[in-house]
Amino acid sequence: MVTDAQHACFEAGIKFGSLYHQFAGTPVSPDSAASLERAMVEAIENQPFCESVAVDIDADALAAAADDHGYVELTGRFMEVEMRIEYEGVVVRTEMTMTDGYPLMRPVAVE
Amino acid sequence: MVTDAQHACFEAGIKFGSLYHQFAGTPVSPDSAASLERAMVEAIENQPFCESVAVDIDADALAAAADDHGYVELTGRFMEVEMRIEYEGVVVRTEMTMTDGYPLMRPVAVE
Amino acid sequence: MVTDAQHACFEAGIKFGSLYHQFAGTPVSPDSAASLERAMVEAIENQPFCESVAVDIDADALAAAADDHGYVELTGRFMEVEMRIEYEGVVVRTEMTMTDGYPLMRPVAVE
Amino acid sequence: MVTDAQHACFEAGIKFGSLYHQFAGTPVSPDSAASLERAMVEAIENQPFCESVAVDIDADALAAAADDHGYVELTGRFMEVEMRIEYEGVVVRTEMTMTDGYPLMRPVAVE
């Protein structure tokens, strides 16, 4: 009742929801953005069927938004994410980008 | 390049990853399980394309695992979840159950 | 080297950090605010030395901030919190309120 | 009504609760432990009054506990933490260590 391609897309969605809700709210500054990017990548790549993750936190946007303490809490507006999931030979490429002011997660290709 | 059914499965996965990583780690006891279940359901049902969520936290398992303080941190071993996602007319039914000692999230049907 | 009153304040801080970082990022709407408030209260009251918690999520502020999907991710700007911690006979009262546009957690009284 | 030393201890508690509940549940393996340690340190050091943080994730314990997928979700049993908070000239040293099978956070010294 569920094809391998559909199951692969389900797995891709899990990784996005996990990444976002595990790390949203983390205190982050321009200086700490690189270590958070790396930890996010390596954490989510642990999950099954997750071939690769790329996270790009926008240090300029952090700097512009930072409060008097010099940091903000991470939300989708500060990052772009790309992932590649592979399940039973099906590859799903996905990304999260800001679209109309909202961090939109979407599947880009199923191959 | 991505069908509506595949996209619907991606959305279903997002909801599972979100639910799990938002609420894992929450202090929970047999007495507080009901309020946490309800909050999880209503929180995730806010997300786009999420028609319904059911969360069943196992109060007996909580009681057996609770430490001297009477509570545990929520993990997948203490709950079962069912969700119904609808995207562009495609309905995806999904669930999380304990399978071989591991909380397994899976799509059950795509209709 | 550490007095009971100091230790009580430490415990109070733990509860605030826990509450904030466990639940920040949760999808919340005016309709789901009440169940989230209740779950936050009951979850944190499980923790040792935590006598009482009150959480007030501002439904009007949620409605004003909600995106096209009708919800926002919970942050400190949407809620006020009061807690009462008791450790070895010392009572600490604490609160989180918006101060200068920033959610400020502070100890109010040590008795 | 609240001394600087008591307020310093409150701030120290906030950092511990934040660190724990922000990162608990993160997928972590022996290979990804180092990047997660570093991100945790740099994230919490962003918070006000937090002078230094040290996080030691026990890679051997991770390896022993890892499931078939090679990773676990981070909990207090896999890490030790030390922090130094400074508030209005008062220094608080704190730590989290496993005590009687439970990750115990405590203030070690107020100076």
Side-chain angles (χ1 to χ4, degrees), chain A residues 20-21 24-27 67 69 71 73-76 102-103, chain C residues 20-21 24-27 67 69 71 73-76 102-103:
Chain A
Y20 196 92
H21 285 273
T26 302
D67 62 19
H69 299 296
Y71 72 96
E73 297 170 15
L74 184 68
T75 72
Y102 186 79
Chain C
Y20 196 91
H21 286 274
T26 302
D67 63 18
H69 300 295
Y71 73 96
E73 296 171 14
L74 185 68
T75 73
Y102 186 78

Side-chain angles (χ1 to χ4, degrees), chain B residues 28-36 59 62 70, chain C residues 38 42 46:
Chain B
V28 62
S29 62
D31 284 350
S32 71
S35 64
L36 183 57
L62 292 182
Chain C
R38 185 175 177 86
E42 294 193 6
N46 282 321

Side-chain angles (χ1 to χ4, degrees), chain C residues 13-31:
Chain C
I14 290 175
K15 275 65 182 172
F16 255 113
S18 298
L19 180 147
Y20 196 91
H21 286 274
Q22 181 62 55
F23 293 102
T26 302
V28 61
S29 62
D31 284 349

Side-chain angles (χ1 to χ4, degrees), chain D residues 21-70:
Chain D
H21 285 273
Q22 182 61 56
F23 293 102
T26 302
V28 61
S29 62
D31 285 350
S32 72
S35 65
L36 183 56
E37 285 174 348
R38 186 175 177 85
M40 293 172 76
V41 165
E42 294 194 6
I44 302 302
E45 286 182 350
N46 282 320
Q47 293 190 323
F49 317 118
C50 189
E51 292 303 302
S52 67
V53 178
V55 175
D56 182 16
I57 298 177
D58 183 341
D60 290 340
L62 292 183
D67 62 20
D68 293 346
H69 299 295

Side-chain angles (χ1 to χ4, degrees), chain B residues 20-21 25 67 71 73 102, chain D residues 20-21 25 67 69 71 73 102:
Chain B
Y20 197 91
H21 286 274
D67 62 18
Y71 72 97
E73 295 169 17
Y102 186 80
Chain D
Y20 196 90
H21 285 273
D67 62 20
H69 299 295
Y71 73 97
E73 296 170 15
Y102 186 79

Side-chain angles (χ1 to χ4, degrees), chain A residues 80-99:
Chain A
E80 294 193 340
V81 180
E82 293 181 3
M83 288 201 244
R84 176 188 162 94
I85 274 61
E86 186 169 343
Y87 176 85
E88 297 289 334
V90 180
V91 173
V92 181
R93 291 189 295 113
T94 67
E95 65 182 26
M96 183 177 75
T97 55
M98 289 301 290
T99 305

